[in-house]
Amino acid sequence: MQIFEPNGAPRVFGVAPGADFPAELARGLRARFAGQPPEALARCDVLVNTARMQTRLREALMTQGPGFLPRIRLLTEIAGGEVDPPLRTRFELSQLIRQLLQAEPDLGPTSAAFSLAESLFGLLDEMQGEGVSMEILDDLDVSQHSLHWDRSLRFIRLIARFLGPASGGQARLRAAVTQLVADWQDAPPAHPIIVAGSTGSRGPNAMLMHAVSRLPQGALVLPGFDFDLPDAVWRQLDEPLESEDHPQFRYAHLMAALDLPPRAVQGWSEAPAPDAARNTLISLALRPAPVTDQWLRDGPALGDLHKATAHLSLIEAPSPRAEAQAIALCLRDAAVCGKRAALITPDRTLARRVTAALDRWHLTPDDSAGRPLGLSAPGRFLRQTAELLTGTVTAEALIALLKHPLAHSAGGRGDHLRHLRDLELYLRRFAVPFPDADALADFAARGPERGDWAAWLSGALETRPEEGERPLEDWVAAHEAFATLLAGGTEEGTGELWLKEAGRAARALFDELTLHAPHGGAVTGRDYLAILDALFVGKEVREITQSHPEVMIWGTLEARAQGADLVILGGLTEGTWPSAPSPDPWFNRQMRRDAGLLLPERQIGLSAHDFQQAAGAPNVVLSRAARNAEAQTVPSRWLNRLTNLIAGLPGQGGDAALAAMRERGRHWLQQAQILDADLRAVPEASARRNPRPAPAPPAKARLSGLPVTRVEMLIRDPYHIYAERILKLSRLDPLSPQADARLRGTVLHRVPEEYLKSHPPGTPPDREAFLRIAEQVLDAYCPWPATRQHWRARLDPVAQDFVTWNAALPGTPVLSEQKGAMTLAEPPFTLTGKPDRIDRLPDGRLQIYDYKTGALPGAKEVVHFNIQLKLLALMAMQDAFGIGAGDVALAEFVSLGSKFARRDGEADPDSVADTRARLLRFIATYRKPDQGFTALRAPKFEDRAGDYDALSRRGEWEITDRPETLRVGDHDE
């Protein structure tokens, strides 16, 4: 059976960029087997490089009519057989690397051992796959390189002596191909064998392609072969250091190995390229540097560029969000018009943004990459439980884990969420940063229904292993037990942890980890967490969704096996497409070249080939964001070349063609802006400004008392007092105590209080004692070392002034931080206060001091707003603090902030009497049923956010608006 004429030369075919490769491959197969018996095609072997290509080719053949199908196999299936699991090998390598890191800690932390083992395993597998013997390591000269590369080479040489048989995918494939080629030399197969879709970038693939091309009925079919590239340019693609980033470099290397000129490559089918003029344009744009002279020489031959760019659009979005919106609109428009459309991008963040934007039209794209397993519900749950497995349990981490949808998912989820809410409020209220068994027991004692739930949680936390090194299998077992216990809850079973596609994928990962963990040695909890994170990397899960059949999102690899009417190339920024070469901790670029390994530019060359292939589709949109979250972006090198070439050919209408491309892209950006503007539109009633609220509660709900420290707030922002004292709403305390202004105030009030106990007025000033007390108080109240040092440093400038001032005071301290109360008006209004310090003078008069950690109030503030000291003086004169009534000789603010300062509180008898009268009038006013509590009546700072801004709908009214009294509650008419 012959479908190819024998000619003795390697047989190589190509398909032009932009063509639907599986469809063209199927069409060519059908054409070559026309006239053959029906079963002839079934004797043909077609070897492809990806499972998606395998599926698409089968679908394309069936689309072209009934008949037998060829044997379509993956290149990797040639290896076959049982092999040593790569994970076990990586664990064994990680043990050796961990010993190296322990011996030389400057190389990195031991938690990086498994990641380094991953990269080392890949390097050794690549060496064996490319046919590079371990002996080459002895010949590498690193004398001109840094010490790091010398150490890495010595380590690789050392472990290479103990390596067993090759177990990596590339190594096994090369061994299998070598054996297969030897068998073919003895007995070459007579049936057709075709290798399709591979560029031969890997050694084993290239070896197989060389052998197949020389078989009697063997052939290669190359995707995206550039038939427009001149011979002179092909000859330039001979030096990897200079040309390996060119899209056709791998083909030039393959043709040279086959001793075949590129012009000998034949077209696989008679179908023309979707846009031959555009292919020629892109071929010229991507020529290897230097290219400017070739652009000027060959550019005029392109003719009118309007034809080449007629179906090419350029989106230059101002932000990633705008780019995603514009792409989503393109995809939706294609779906409405019945076209097959695809977004091709290596940027998974962009893919997720586009998916989210399409969701507003209930349009779910078919995403070939699926969802990263680590970001799925089981993946997140397992990562969170692993983080909680060691160390001290923090309130934030525990609450976040218990709120996960998989926590307590076996049953009783409603009760779980109710108890969890109560636990969170308990931890916030009592400032429990590290909840343990005692804290959970106290929580359970405060509610009759909490016992079983708290016992389950406490028991789960007790299963966590202790800190320190232990065998990896112990960590895995402890993690699985901890995770399943939390997922099951108080019910039997493991809940929904291992269910659905993501759960089954996580279960498979854990099974593999459990199987090979005995080869991982002893690790710490931090090492185990790093291993788990590394295992999640690259794992994807395809969840069953009702996706649209004609709207796709592809990665660059999947795009080689696909075709669409509209192709959008998204994320065309440098560092994204192409991505920056991955750092190699073992071999630098020159060492790779000397060893005969693949250079980092290989991946850029493959990405360039993907770009050239995709950019030749019938309708193409090129897209990029001009700026990301951090800075301006740089256009992808290929997009930069293409736009520069087009703009540099005004004689061929290049400037007008580029402007038209941008205008077509701008249309989608404008549509995205209109869509956003439409979503921002609100009903007319809502568009009107809301009133500045002044709620007026009924008399029975109004204030019956107030601390002296809140009187200023009542004057400045009555609404705040209404929400705080009448509605009794308060801001939630943080789950983790913070070094905020309130804590700083507590600390800096405690320091002089403690100093005063041992150094009353009249004793010699002792700055060192003051600072020692400050350190003791900071140690007791402030658990953050950096904050302690900062606050301690801020006390240095005021310490000497304070102790000197305190020593010279004439009075005797009689009260410190004790609460008192007095009743004013009728009906009764209770005024409460807690002075920082009151001294009694020898003549019986009192001196009141109020410590401030911030700026002291101004003179006008003391008169009109900050009347705290005057009210304390009023209370002291009425013996509200139980120390005996007395006249007030002095009321003073004392600053312990950035510098020591004092300000008179103006508590002379006349001022105190006037303040009392004002307060009574104030109380009477706010007892009137129609008096509203105005929002921001006289704020000190208008631009500062308040605790009740959302409640008052601040932002929907202006502070200059007239307040509108709103009667709230049940008023007695």
Side-chain angles (χ1 to χ4, degrees):
M1 178 181 60
Q2 290 187 352
I3 63 171
F4 302 116
E5 292 294 331
N7 57 11
R11 198 174 289 106
V12 184
F13 299 90
V15 176
D20 186 340
F21 183 77
E24 293 302 319
L25 181 59
R27 186 176 294 112
L29 282 171
R30 291 291 190 191
R32 283 169 173 76
F33 279 91
Q36 297 279 356
E39 71 277 7
L41 185 57
R43 298 192 183 99
C44 176
D45 281 337
V46 181
L47 301 175
V48 296
N49 58 336
T50 66
R52 187 170 289 272
M53 180 75 78
Q54 185 182 38
T55 302
R56 281 279 290 130
L57 176 57
R58 185 178 294 111
E59 292 173 349
L61 286 165
M62 291 189 292
T63 301
Q64 294 179 10
F68 289 97
L69 297 179
R71 293 187 294 267
I72 307 173
R73 296 193 296 159
L74 296 176
L75 290 171
T76 52
E77 292 178 8
I78 295 174
E82 294 293 329
V83 298
D84 292 336
L87 183 57
R88 187 179 76 185
T89 305
R90 285 178 284 172
F91 277 149
E92 292 169 346
L93 284 175
S94 69
Q95 290 196 64
L96 298 174
I97 294 174
R98 192 174 294 109
Q99 294 177 27
L100 171 66
L101 296 177
Q102 290 171 347
E104 301 186 42
D106 58 309
L107 289 176
T110 57
S111 58
F114 186 75
S115 295
L116 290 172
E118 292 259 19
S119 60
L120 180 56
F121 179 83
L123 173 63
L124 297 174
D125 185 38
E126 180 186 341
M127 290 179 64
Q128 295 171 340
E130 297 298 319
V132 177
S133 67
M134 295 296 174
E135 286 72 22
I136 196 70
L137 299 174
D138 297 326
D139 300 329
L140 287 179
D141 181 13
V142 292
S143 59
Q144 302 301 315
H145 299 280
S146 67
L147 178 62
H148 168 80
W149 303 112
D150 179 62
R151 288 195 296 188
S152 69
L153 183 58
R154 283 190 285 111
F155 180 73
I156 297 175
R157 285 170 180 166
L158 178 64
I159 67 170
R161 302 174 186 174
F162 303 100
L163 290 178
S167 61
Q170 290 297 308
R172 290 185 287 107
L173 183 59
R174 186 177 188 89
V177 169
T178 301
Q179 182 60 47
L180 185 62
V181 171
D183 295 342
W184 283 349
Q185 289 177 346
D186 296 335
H191 65 278
I193 298 180
I194 299 171
V195 176
S198 176
T199 61
S201 61
R202 291 285 187 179
N205 293 4
M207 180 188 299
L208 179 65
M209 293 169 72
H210 295 168
V212 169
S213 67
R214 290 185 169 90
L215 291 176
Q217 289 297 303
L220 309 180
V221 184
L222 306 178
F225 186 84
D226 190 352
F227 291 98
D228 298 309
L229 207 60
D231 291 339
V233 178
W234 281 108
R235 288 192 292 270
Q236 291 179 1
L237 303 178
D238 58 351
E239 175 52 51
L241 286 175
E242 299 176 358
S243 307
E244 194 160 6
D245 60 350
H246 189 272
Q248 301 295 312
F249 173 82
R250 307 313 309 178
Y251 292 156
H253 187 70
L254 177 65
M255 294 299 106
L258 294 174
D259 196 21
L260 197 70
R263 289 298 168 195
V265 177
Q266 309 168 55
W268 174 251
S269 67
E270 297 180 357
D275 196 324
R278 194 192 312 145
N279 281 354
T280 305
L281 171 66
I282 293 175
S283 175
L284 178 59
L286 299 184
R287 288 188 186 178
V291 296
T292 307
D293 61 328
Q294 298 178 27
W295 288 357
L296 295 174
R297 185 188 68 226
D298 299 341
L302 294 173
D304 186 4
L305 291 180
H306 282 285
K307 179 181 178 182
T309 61
H311 300 288
L312 193 61
S313 304
L314 176 58
I315 294 176
E316 295 175 311
S319 67
R321 182 180 183 276
E323 180 186 15
Q325 295 271 36
I327 291 174
L329 285 166
C330 289
L331 294 173
R332 178 181 179 272
D333 181 72
V336 170
C337 296
K339 297 179 181 178
R340 183 178 170 85
L343 165 64
I344 302 175
T345 179
D347 186 351
R348 292 304 306 161
T349 301
L350 174 62
R352 287 193 286 271
R353 281 197 177 106
V354 172
T355 300
L358 287 170
D359 187 58
R360 73 179 63 189
W361 301 293
H362 305 290
L363 194 62
T364 304
D366 181 9
D367 192 342
S368 64
R371 182 199 297 267
L373 180 58
L375 296 182
S376 67
R380 290 181 184 273
F381 186 78
L382 291 171
R383 288 164 56 203
Q384 285 180 265
T385 50
E387 290 172 357
L388 210 64
L389 199 61
T390 61
T392 305
V393 177
T394 66
E396 294 165 308
L398 180 62
I399 295 300
L401 175 59
L402 294 176
K403 285 185 177 181
H404 193 286
L406 294 181
H408 209 294
S409 56
R413 176 76 178 170
D415 289 337
H416 165 74
L417 293 177
R418 181 165 54 86
H419 294 317
L420 176 57
R421 177 204 61 193
D422 294 340
L423 175 63
E424 180 178 355
L425 293 175
Y426 169 84
L427 297 177
R428 290 178 181 274
R429 179 182 177 187
F430 295 100
V432 183
F434 308 110
D436 53 15
D438 293 338
L440 292 174
D442 181 63
F443 164 74
R446 295 171 182 267
E449 300 177 356
R450 301 173 179 176
D452 292 343
W453 187 85
W456 156 75
L457 180 56
S458 181
L461 295 177
E462 288 176 0
T463 65
R464 301 179 314 124
E466 296 180 357
E467 285 284 0
E469 283 195 353
R470 60 184 65 248
L472 178 59
E473 60 264 35
D474 290 355
W475 284 111
V476 176
H479 184 197
E480 182 174 354
F482 183 54
T484 53
L485 188 57
L486 286 176
T490 55
E491 308 292 330
E492 295 292 332
T494 59
E496 300 179 8
L497 177 57
W498 310 120
L499 301 183
K500 300 182 180 180
E501 293 80 8
R504 287 189 284 271
R507 177 73 268 179
L509 184 146
F510 247 77
D511 288 343
E512 185 183 16
L513 180 58
T514 302
L515 179 63
H516 303 299
H519 302 276
V523 298
T524 64
R526 182 181 176 189
D527 296 341
Y528 172 71
L529 184 59
I531 290 173
L532 193 67
D533 286 341
L535 290 175
F536 273 122
V537 171
K539 295 286 193 306
E540 307 285 341
V541 57
R542 294 265 307 183
E543 297 172 312
I544 297 177
T545 57
Q546 194 70 24
S547 60
H548 195 289
E550 301 298 325
V551 178
M552 289 79 60
I553 296 179
W554 299 329
T556 54
L557 179 61
E558 293 85 358
R560 303 175 192 174
Q562 307 286 351
D565 302 317
L566 171 67
V567 172
I568 303 172
L569 280 66
L572 285 172
T573 57
E574 202 67 19
T576 300
W577 197 359
S579 60
S582 300
D584 186 345
W586 302 105
F587 276 18
N588 62 24
R589 192 166 178 266
Q590 187 61 44
M591 291 168 67
R592 279 184 160 273
R593 183 176 185 273
D594 294 344
L597 294 172
L598 302 172
L599 297 181
E601 286 77 8
R602 164 188 169 273
Q603 193 59 47
I604 296 178
L606 293 177
S607 295
H609 184 259
D610 294 333
F611 173 83
Q612 185 179 27
Q613 171 81 348
N619 291 281
V620 175
V621 176
L622 307 175
S623 173
R624 79 176 188 95
R627 184 179 179 86
N628 59 22
E630 299 175 353
Q632 294 287 335
T633 62
V634 178
S636 169
R637 62 190 70 183
W638 312 310
L639 179 60
N640 217 6
R641 285 187 172 200
L642 181 62
T643 54
N644 286 342
L645 172 60
I646 296 173
L649 296 172
Q652 281 70 51
D655 48 356
L658 182 59
M661 289 168 53
R662 285 180 166 141
E663 183 58 33
R664 289 190 288 272
R666 197 175 297 115
H667 163 76
W668 296 112
L669 291 172
Q670 291 170 350
Q671 290 295 314
Q673 290 177 347
I674 292 172
L675 179 63
D676 276 350
D678 183 61
L679 288 177
R680 285 194 295 267
V682 295
E684 181 181 352
S686 300
R688 291 196 299 267
R689 181 182 293 180
N690 275 320
R692 180 182 174 197
K700 61 185 178 183
R702 290 181 175 260
L703 297 173
S704 60
L706 205 63
V708 296
T709 54
R710 308 307 288 161
V711 172
E712 180 180 2
M713 182 61 73
L714 180 62
I715 298 171
R716 291 190 178 277
D717 188 3
Y719 189 93
H720 187 111
I721 297 299
Y722 163 76
E724 178 184 83
R725 299 284 165 171
I726 297 177
L727 298 183
K728 300 189 184 304
L729 299 176
S730 59
R731 183 177 181 177
L732 282 177
D733 294 318
L735 269 175
S736 177
Q738 300 174 357
D740 55 12
R742 185 172 63 174
L743 178 61
R744 182 168 178 266
T746 300
V747 169
L748 296 189
H749 279 70
R750 181 70 63 184
V751 172
E753 179 184 351
E754 294 297 322
Y755 177 80
L756 198 59
K757 292 178 181 178
S758 57
H759 295 76
T763 58
D766 191 339
R767 180 177 182 273
E768 298 303 321
F770 181 86
L771 293 177
R772 278 198 308 273
I773 292 171
E775 291 177 353
Q776 294 169 1
V777 172
L778 286 168
D779 287 341
Y781 286 87
C782 185
W784 305 277
T787 304
R788 285 202 302 267
Q789 293 297 324
H790 176 62
W791 289 355
R792 163 66 170 75
R794 293 194 63 175
L795 281 173
D796 277 342
V798 303
Q800 185 61 54
D801 290 335
F802 175 82
V803 297
T804 303
W805 166 79
N806 178 72
L809 290 176
T812 301
V814 292
L815 183 141
S816 177
E817 296 284 347
Q818 292 182 21
K819 189 175 182 180
M822 68 174 293
T823 301
L824 294 170
E826 183 61 40
F829 184 90
T830 304
L831 192 67
T832 59
K834 187 165 66 172
D836 292 339
R837 174 178 175 180
I838 297 180
D839 289 4
R840 188 178 295 278
L841 296 175
D843 60 6
R845 292 183 301 164
L846 302 174
Q847 291 182 324
I848 305 175
Y849 302 102
D850 185 62
Y851 300 129
K852 294 292 184 183
T853 56
L856 294 178
K860 291 185 178 180
E861 284 185 78
V862 171
V863 173
H864 300 289
F865 298 103
N866 196 328
I867 58 176
Q868 174 184 346
L869 281 180
K870 298 177 184 178
L871 295 176
L872 289 174
L874 174 62
M875 295 176 66
M877 292 167 63
Q878 301 295 323
D879 193 20
F881 303 109
I883 58 174
D887 293 336
V888 176
L890 175 70
E892 194 172 58
F893 295 103
V894 179
S895 174
L896 299 178
S898 57
K899 64 179 181 179
F900 183 79
R902 296 149 57 198
R903 179 176 296 281
D904 184 14
E906 299 184 10
D908 57 274
D910 292 340
S911 296
V912 171
D914 181 63
T915 300
R916 185 180 187 280
R918 286 172 52 201
L919 179 61
L920 290 173
R921 291 195 299 271
F922 211 53
I923 294 170
T925 299
Y926 275 99
R927 279 179 169 165
K928 295 177 181 178
D930 294 328
Q931 174 62 45
F933 288 74
T934 303
L936 298 180
R937 175 177 173 270
K940 185 175 182 179
F941 303 104
E942 294 183 17
D943 56 344
R944 290 190 180 178
D947 292 344
Y948 304 103
D949 285 352
L951 185 66
S952 67
R953 303 179 74 90
R954 185 179 179 185
E956 299 179 18
W957 47 267
E958 297 291 340
I959 197 170
T960 54
D961 293 349
R962 186 180 185 87
E964 182 174 325
T965 302
L966 307 171
R967 291 170 67 90
V968 296
D970 296 328
H971 286 258
D972 296 329
E973 298 297 341

